[in-house]
């Protein structure tokens, strides 16, 4: 490669003796701080093609090329503060803030502490001298406490949300604590973005930046406020003219007609994804029915466990959410689900979708397959019946070819449905 003019690293060596190779690995490790680039390991490759064949490969990697990983570099620093971050679901995450140190070539001064259990296990306290490293050379983490600060006390995460002051609650089966206030300003922005997103209420033109502006200008405090937005409000957004403002308002207006499963998913109930929202609506096809469903009834739904049933049951009894749903109803949002007559042409068949289809989006193709009794799964296996492939299909297509699974185009899918 070098002779051909490729750029190769300086440090490579060829050995016929494994002891020498091990020595070399150690010396690279000792000198890695001096390199002009970061490394997390060194690779040994067998350079004889016959030996490579003998060694073979696992399902994922060749056995003739193996990386030795060096232990991550560790540094000492002082913990100044533990900051509490608020996520979209209201999870409160403690973050260690410490004197800046250089690790794997970059300056770091923060590392997540995950939750109270981790803090208690480490017994990390404010002012402590701590040891920090980069896990996988990327994410900084506190490894251990070297010495406690004088007169330090064990640290406990405050049980109130730093953004809104609401008392935090602890999830039963998790170490996570959350802010339960669905109007919490820290969660609000991320909630609205989720609400408007393509798989939820699918409000075209209401992207992250526009949502941020609407919140900043005070037009929107909860997702219900979106439906009170006027042309005049929208016209005040930078770059918005009559046409663009009109488009936004009508996109919001159109979303009122969405089926209930989209709304349920958009409400961001913990554990409820698109598919579980649909299953929930199939059993309880109106908002009233969802809200009055008993835990024992919810848990009967396919793949719903106790935890998810509890989550739904509690979510629709949370006062903020009840008020939100009342307002959405007042604005005329559709609160029911049309149980579709499903066709049976694809019953029992499992599909994997890959690549870009010529006329349909993947979501549309998925809905079409499901409405005809088929199932869409994420990865190709021996149980897959068909792979629906479009342009730029990747590894799934290759796998299907290797496994001899039928590969069909969008047109062929449509033919299957017609005949
Ligand atoms: Zn809060």
């Amino acid at each position: 490669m070098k002779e051909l003019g490729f750029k190769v690293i300086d440090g490579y060596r060829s050995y016929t003796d494994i002891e020498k190779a091990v020595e070399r690995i150690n010396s690279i490790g000792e000198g890695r701080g001096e390199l002009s680039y970061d490394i997390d390991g060194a690779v040994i490759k067998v350079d004889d093609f016959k030996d490579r064949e003998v060694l073979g490969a696992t399902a994922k990697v060749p056995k003739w090329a193996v990386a030795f990983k060096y232990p991550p570099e560790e540094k000492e620093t002082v913990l100044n503060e533990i900051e509490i971050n608020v996520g979209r679901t209201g999870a409160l995450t403690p973050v260690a803030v410490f004197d800046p140190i250089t690790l794997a070539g970059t300056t770091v001064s923060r590392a997540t502490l995950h939750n109270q259990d981790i803090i208690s296990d480490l017994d990390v306290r404010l002012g402590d001298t701590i040891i920090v490293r980069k896990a996988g050379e990327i994410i900084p983490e506190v490894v251990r406490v070297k010495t406690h600060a004088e007169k330090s006390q064990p640290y406990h995460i405050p049980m109130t949300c730093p953004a809104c002051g609401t008392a935090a609650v602890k999830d039963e089966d998790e170490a996570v604590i959350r802010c339960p206030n669905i109007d919490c300003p820290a969660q609000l922005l991320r909630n609205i973005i989720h609400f408007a997103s393509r798989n939820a209420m699918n409000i075209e033109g209401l992207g992250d930046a526009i949502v941020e502006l609407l919140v900043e200008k005070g037009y929107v405090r909860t997702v219900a406020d979106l439906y009170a937005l006027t042309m005049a409000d929208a016209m005040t957004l930078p770059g918005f003219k009559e046409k663009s403002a009109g488009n936004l308002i009508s996109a919001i207006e159109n979303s009122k007609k969405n089926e209930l499963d989209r709304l349920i998913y958009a409400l961001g109930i913990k554990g409820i994804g698109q598919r579980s929202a649909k299953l929930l609506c199939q059993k309880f096809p109106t908002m009233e029915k969802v809200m009055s469903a008993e835990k024992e009834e919810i848990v009967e739904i396919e793949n719903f466990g106790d935890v998810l049933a509890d989550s739904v049951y509690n979510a629709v009894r949370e006062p903020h959410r009840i008020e939100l749903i009342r307002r959405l109803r007042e604005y005329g949002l559709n609160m029911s689900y049309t149980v579709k007559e499903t066709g049976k042409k694809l019953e029992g068949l499992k599909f994997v979708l890959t690549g870009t289809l010529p006329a349909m989006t993947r979501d549309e193709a998925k809905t079409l397959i499901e409405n005809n009794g088929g199932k869409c799964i994420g990865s190709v296996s021996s149980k897959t019946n068909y792979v629906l492939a479009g342009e730029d299909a990747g590894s799934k297509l290759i796998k299907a070819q290797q496994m001899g699974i039928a590969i069909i185009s969008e047109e062929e899918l449509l033919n299957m449905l017609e005949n």
Side-chain angles (χ1 to χ4, degrees):
M1 297 291 270
K2 201 174 177 182
E3 274 168 21
L4 287 167
F6 283 92
K7 193 172 177 180
V8 300
I9 57 161
D10 293 328
Y12 78 90
R13 299 283 187 281
S14 173
Y15 298 103
T16 49
D17 174 355
I18 190 63
E19 295 301 327
K20 289 265 163 49
V22 171
E23 259 172 48
R24 177 69 188 144
I25 281 190
N26 289 335
S27 76
I28 292 174
E30 279 156 24
R32 69 173 161 144
E34 318 299 317
L35 296 171
S36 56
Y37 43 85
D38 294 322
I39 60 166
D40 67 345
V43 179
I44 297 188
K45 284 186 183 178
V46 172
D47 62 0
D48 183 286
F49 290 128
K50 280 207 193 83
D51 287 345
R52 287 185 179 185
E53 256 172 54
V54 173
L55 284 164
T58 70
K60 285 181 179 166
V61 290
K63 289 185 183 171
W64 47 265
V66 177
F68 175 86
K69 296 282 184 187
Y70 296 112
E73 188 187 9
E74 298 184 343
K75 285 239 173 101
E76 188 181 307
T77 183
V78 175
L79 177 68
N80 297 315
E81 198 192 329
I82 294 179
E83 225 177 64
I84 309 295
N85 282 355
V86 191
R88 178 170 76 79
T89 56
L92 304 183
T93 311
V95 178
V97 183
F98 43 82
D99 288 345
I101 45 172
T102 308
L103 273 180
T106 56
T107 305
V108 292
S109 58
R110 304 159 68 82
T112 177
L113 287 167
H114 303 284
N115 57 49
Q116 184 65 52
D117 292 352
I118 302 278
I119 290 175
S120 301
D121 287 351
L122 291 168
D123 191 17
V124 63
R125 307 173 182 192
L126 295 174
D128 281 3
T129 300
I130 54 172
I131 305 295
V132 180
R133 72 171 173 209
K134 276 192 172 179
E137 303 287 304
I138 301 170
I139 305 155
E141 67 176 8
V142 178
V143 188
R144 62 183 175 274
V145 171
K146 193 179 178 211
T147 47
H148 283 308
E150 241 178 87
K151 292 180 193 158
S152 63
Q153 297 290 323
Y155 181 84
H156 293 285
I157 299 174
M159 288 300 282
T160 52
C161 171
C164 70
T166 304
V169 292
K170 196 170 180 357
D171 288 7
E172 254 170 55
D173 306 320
E174 293 176 52
V176 180
I177 59 167
R178 288 171 201 282
C179 167
N181 175 11
I182 56 172
D183 287 334
C184 173
Q187 298 170 51
L188 172 71
L189 192 69
R190 306 197 59 180
N191 277 330
I192 299 173
I193 290 168
H194 169 73
F195 185 88
S197 66
R198 201 163 63 91
N199 292 331
M201 294 302 269
N202 193 22
I203 304 177
E204 210 176 312
L206 196 59
D208 301 12
I210 304 294
V211 172
E212 260 173 62
L213 279 168
L214 291 172
V215 172
E216 227 169 76
K217 285 178 171 283
Y219 292 140
V220 176
R221 282 205 58 254
T222 79
V223 293
D225 296 335
L226 290 172
Y227 296 95
L229 208 66
T230 64
M231 269 297 277
D233 297 337
M235 295 275 283
T236 68
L237 298 172
F240 270 66
K241 300 255 159 47
E242 204 153 313
K243 185 154 183 281
S244 40
N247 286 344
L248 179 62
I249 298 294
S250 62
I252 294 172
E253 188 63 26
N254 281 337
S255 74
K256 292 181 179 176
K257 294 183 227 137
N258 284 340
E259 290 282 334
L260 180 64
D261 63 312
R262 277 186 179 270
L263 178 59
I264 295 279
Y265 172 64
L267 289 176
I269 297 167
K270 200 168 147 260
I272 291 289
Q274 282 172 273
R275 178 152 177 78
S276 43
K278 199 166 266 178
L279 291 170
L280 186 68
C281 292
Q282 276 163 5
K283 182 155 175 143
F284 306 103
T286 66
M287 187 63 97
E288 287 88 351
K289 287 183 177 150
V290 171
M291 291 176 82
S292 60
E294 293 299 330
K295 274 184 210 176
E296 298 71 39
E297 297 175 293
I298 303 173
V299 88
E300 283 168 7
I301 301 172
E302 181 197 344
N303 294 332
F304 272 52
D306 286 329
V307 175
L308 193 51
D310 269 359
S311 171
V312 172
Y313 182 86
N314 294 330
V316 294
R317 277 161 187 77
E318 213 269 317
H320 282 88
R321 202 173 266 107
I322 293 175
E323 171 59 15
L324 178 64
I325 292 168
R326 187 195 65 77
R327 284 189 64 200
L328 292 174
R329 189 191 300 277
E330 218 170 73
Y331 286 122
L333 271 75
N334 174 32
M335 296 275 168
S336 63
Y337 180 80
T338 323
V339 181
K340 287 189 199 82
E341 281 289 321
T342 56
K344 295 204 187 293
K345 282 197 170 135
L346 305 179
E347 194 158 275
L349 297 177
K350 292 192 173 72
F351 291 77
V352 170
L353 277 53
T354 179
T356 312
L357 301 173
M360 282 185 256
T361 67
R362 272 209 241 172
D363 284 340
E364 284 164 351
K366 192 172 164 222
T367 309
L368 186 67
I369 290 168
E370 286 173 354
N371 286 347
N372 284 283
K375 267 198 173 168
C376 291
I377 49 178
S379 56
V380 178
S381 75
S382 58
K383 289 181 186 138
T384 310
N385 298 101
Y386 293 98
V387 169
L388 175 59
E391 219 173 299
D392 296 324
S395 59
K396 289 177 185 172
L397 178 62
I398 295 166
K399 194 163 178 202
Q401 284 164 340
Q402 285 167 348
M403 296 181 70
I405 290 161
I407 295 157
I408 56 166
S409 65
E410 178 186 291
E411 199 185 338
E412 285 166 305
L413 173 70
L414 295 172
N415 285 339
M416 283 168 80
L417 292 171
E418 269 178 30
N419 303 322

